[in-house]
Amino acid sequence: VVAEPLVLVCNRGEIARRVLRTCAKLGIKSLSVYTKPDALAPHAREASFSVCLGDNPREYTNKERLLQIIREYGVTAVHPGYGFLSENEEFCEAVAEAGVEWLGPRAKTMHDFALKHVARGLAENAGVPVLTGSPLLSSVAEATTAAAKVGYPVLLKATGGGGGMGIYICRDQKDVEANFETSQKQGQAFFGNDGVFLEKYIEEAHHVEVQIFGDGEGGCVHLGERECSIQRRHQKVLEETPSPLVDSGLRSRLTEAAVSLGRSCCYRSAGTVEFLVDGITKDFFFLEVNARLQVEHGITEMVHGCVDIVEMQMRLQIPGLAPEGGVSQILKTLGGIETTGHAIEVRINGEDPARGFQPTPGDLGLVEFPVQSRELGVRVDSWVETGTRVSPHYDSLLAKLMVWAPTRQEAVQKMAVALQATKLQGTPNNLQLLKAVVDDSRFKAGDTTTKFLQGLNFQPRVVEVLAPGTQSSIQDWPGRTGMWHVGVPPSGPMDSLAHRTANALVGNEEDAAGLEFSVVGPTLRFHARTLIALTGAQCAGATLDGQPVGWWQSIQVSAGQVLALGAVNSSYGLRGYLAVAGGIDVPLYLGSRSTFPSGKFGGYQGRCLRMGDSLPLADPQEGAIRYAPLLLPPGCCPAPPTPCAGSPAGGAVQWEITCRLSSCGCCPAPPTPCAGSPAGGAVQWEVGVLPGPHADPDYVQTEFMDGTFYTQPYSVHYSSNRLGVRLEGPKPVWVRSDGGDGGTHPSNVHDHVYAIGAINFTGDHPVVLTVDGPSLGGFVCPATIISTELWKVGQMRPGDSVLFKKLDLAEAHTQLLTTDAKLAAIRSIARGEQGACTPSDVLKHVARAEATVRNGAAAVGAAASMPPSRPLIHRLPATDAHPGVEFRLAGDRYIQVEYGPMELDLTLRVRVHCLEEALKQAKVPGLLETSPGVRSCMIEYDMRTLHPARLLEILLSLDATLPQPHDMTLPSRIIKLPMAFDDKWTHGAIAKYMKSIRPEAPYLPSNIEYIAKNNLLDGGKDEVRDVLFSASYLVLGLGDVYLGAPCAVPMDPRHRIVTTKYNPARTFTEEGTVGIGGSYMCIYPMDSPGGYQLVGRTLPIWNTFGRAGPFSPSKPWLLQYFDQVQFYRVSEEELEALREQFSLGRHELNVTPAVFDVAAYTARCDLVKDEVQALKAKQRAGMDMQLAAEEASLARLAAKKAESPTANGPMSTDDEEDDSIWDTRPGCCKVMAMFTANVWDVCVKVGTRVAAGDVLVVLEAMKMETPITSPKAGTVVAVKAQQSKLASAGTLLVVVQEEP
């Protein structure tokens, strides 16, 4: 009885998928293996069965573990692919001894051909020509003697090597001495054999190989030759068949030699005999035998009628699969196939040609391949997809792109088209190089040797990051739009005016991606000619190849030039901007290239730049880099503010952000000096704001707004960033004593969607919500900065002061159109559309554009037609049939619609849902997005195309037609999530808050005990726990903090425990943390700031690329409106295991379809209304006590601050040494890891004296060793690198103290 075949694919990547495809085609069951780094790889999910090998990435070569799997699963055949154990004779023998078929040559064949010196002897015995060489060499002395005898140049080769490892060209004795031990080490490390020999090196060599297939009994046939000469570091880059070098006579001799060798050793299955061919004499010499399936076998299949070589391997050896006629028929079939046409393959590798082909592990943000089919003559073998994380632990091969055509010329043309259709964006790769190779005239002529790449005229369109600067990131404008309703911030430039101006100066469209940097600018090497522009905060010492460069102008840059920006001039702003013609070509994520570092997506690898990054440049518009450099004349650029009176050089400045624009300039007018200030003294910038949505008289007293908020400056707190700019200054005078159901503090309201630029009071502390800020929260916002003024917030430094000035909608509208017109004028001039322009011409064009806008606004009476510029622009009172509605102003981009009283009434949320649906059906031009809150809806619109008065008219009309929500039924889901209650992660976040922000509060150190006290729960923490695990939380909003985080309320009002929020907010909360704020539950989707009281931790609710579980690329968030979330309790250990399995798509959530029946919900609430009233009275008493405790705590902190101004600063730092301490030590040079890699060797220790260029550390990634050298002479004062440990890109390795 023949057992049912089960093939174990002992490999990963594209070759594993290749074998699995054949198994599926033949109806054979398959078993794949994977390590944790490959858990999401396609081969792990495409097999009939899969087994995880564990955390260790090297487990693919754990022979004992694989043999155990073979026994446990009843494997009948093993396909090893290539690499790993594919040529490991010991494993092959063990598989055979277990009675399992090894789909490939026998162990003895592997042994003989693995040792290159033995293989040479076998070749000679078979009559195959070999190069002059040596036996195995045991010492450097033997090697130098042998090299002298053979004659230089020679190749020093590890006998067990392959894939270019352990091979070195030596042109003299010094080269032999330098590389001998390295070749030994690599041979031992990668192949378990430190044997080394050498042979003659042919200068004008072609690498040609012959595909053979043997039956293991002496029968052998060939399937033609392949040209593989184009290589880097002895590894193939491009292969083609047939070889353009080989004529019929040479082909006959090559294939006869290969078949003779195969027959002489009774070769079994597929293999490759490799030769070196002298391009001048056409003599050929044996190189090696690859006793396995070859990487480039696919193109051989394509020119042989698309025969499946893997299928033939299986039919040869798996019982029951041999064709009619037996094994001999396989050789007869293969040998009888005629070669037709021409096929080419390119290897797409994760490596950076601009940096010596260094490996580039990281995330692929976009993967697209051309349409493939046999009929089209296009084939792709790959293992990567959008979102794949390329590991540093494995080979760099990402994909093989293959084409077939009737002629070589047509095949070359088809490959060029296929490469253009291929996109792999994210971590760098060699696509640009491959395009250059295929376009090279030598390649088109078939003139390729192993030195081909040395003569390639290739300038990669990349910018290499030599030094990253501070918080340097890729941003585009307007950023990630249309995602605010699920908590995805727009990101984009903090100073949008500088960013947009830079793009205009180089002729880019406004959405082109550029660089933003803070405090210190990057140092960049441009590998291709281009045009750049620098704007924003100026770097006084900026140079291009040592020559000073100016700001607010475009600059031509030649290939190879280095732009060194240095420190931002502290007398002007914080952030600078760099635009490049065509833009920076990183992948789009959710519609934008902007970086959101907190969410770890967008931009370059979802983070700020690091040393060694390669930024790809998009192709500019036709002729863009030929534009004449453009300099904005004086009066067109923002002038730097002067320091406040009495402030030292580089000290604080005062910003009064105004709405005024220069009547003739391109940018805002210079700041006005403070009255009575001496020359060079303080200046004021006025921040133009519109009142609302939550100001006087409903939330904040009018006397405070008019007498304080708009007249007294606020100072910028040091804890400010792209998420928000924290301010210090006058505390608001509240109208209310508390937030009711929204929370215990008067700043609390029911969760609503924030406007970008809102001045948000978290407790008594204002924060300007900026481009990376949260979308949904429960705090009051008394004013909102208009969109064209928000750029100035991006230039504020800690210690600066800000004065808010109230504007009206007409001013905001005019300013918006004027800014657009000015930038359009600059772009037109930069593109040469206005002809040659002098500085005075530039001023005239810009002034004309501004005048056109202003005259047009006056002609249509824009100011008179605007709604009133006040927080509440319209109100409909409540009636028996309507809960009442308020339309509130939220800057110049938003109107907030609020239904009913400030109470938690779920029918109001249903009404908001109906309004959103009505707006969706209406398809209003200029309406950008609707984002629901608990009882509100934020309407974002574009005032350029949708007038605010017209929007208000539409909203009123639609509101009048909305159905009554009381009898509605909405689709829902019950989702059960595990939660570790009162866990170590929440304890860590609380401890960090107490150390760095606020050492005492009623909710410290235990948030859960505070919740019990605030609600007067007799059972204390246990009762809080019972409520949490009994409640069913209805999701009312998404993005409550960020990224799909739910704003959810218990459906049973008896479960609605009430809390206040942190005052001020935390700066850190662990991803997955569950918090309670007001009456609402939230799950934090990422590490982020927050204000909710923390109770536990659950599963991730955001998956960036949507590659696992219930996520998808278009919906990377878990929850949706009106879901019902229920928690069940697990231990911390259980949660860790579940989180890991869930992230890998191997834990299925318990999700049950349901409905939210409004009538049934209302009826249940009516049944328990007496209990709820008693609970609220009890909560009111508890809240009063905790509010008193909060006031007492704040008073104590204020007293301490009065005694010591730094008392409320950071209390302490983490115990671990902070690497940033080396930034301020004179003469210290930090040496960082340029890419993620294993630390192969640490060559120094503290105290070692080094010269510039000395090797400090050796990194190994993707089978490549990279020495990291000292940039300066000095003494090693710190060593952070640890041998055999993984070092992430940007990790500190060594610190060198420079010699004086």
Side-chain angles (χ1 to χ4, degrees), residues 138 156 273 277 330 367 375 421 525 527 552 559-560 670 813 821 865 912 933 1006 1036 1050 1179:
S138 60
L156 194 63
V273 183
V277 181
I330 295 175
V367 175
E375 293 72 24
R525 175 180 287 120
H527 285 266
W552 301 98
H813 182 246
S865 64
V912 168
S1006 172
L1036 305 182
Q1179 289 174 332

Side-chain angles (χ1 to χ4, degrees), residues 250-263:
L250 178 56
R251 179 171 294 112
S252 177
R253 300 199 307 275
L254 281 167
T255 54
E256 285 176 7
V259 169
S260 174
L261 182 57
R263 287 172 177 164

Side-chain angles (χ1 to χ4, degrees), residues 940-979:
E940 183 181 4
Y941 67 103
D942 186 347
M943 201 161 41
R944 300 173 182 88
T945 54
L946 179 57
H947 195 282
R950 174 58 182 155
L951 174 58
L952 182 59
E953 180 183 310
I954 292 170
L955 291 172
L956 287 167
S957 173
L958 291 176
D959 176 75
T961 65
L962 296 181
Q964 291 296 329
H966 303 287
D967 297 322
M968 294 186 68
T969 300
L970 299 175
S972 177
R973 302 179 301 172
I974 297 173
I975 300 179
K976 296 186 177 181
L977 297 176
M979 179 169 68

Side-chain angles (χ1 to χ4, degrees), residues 771-785:
V771 292
D772 281 353
S775 67
L776 187 69
F779 291 107
V780 161
C781 303
T784 306
I785 299 173

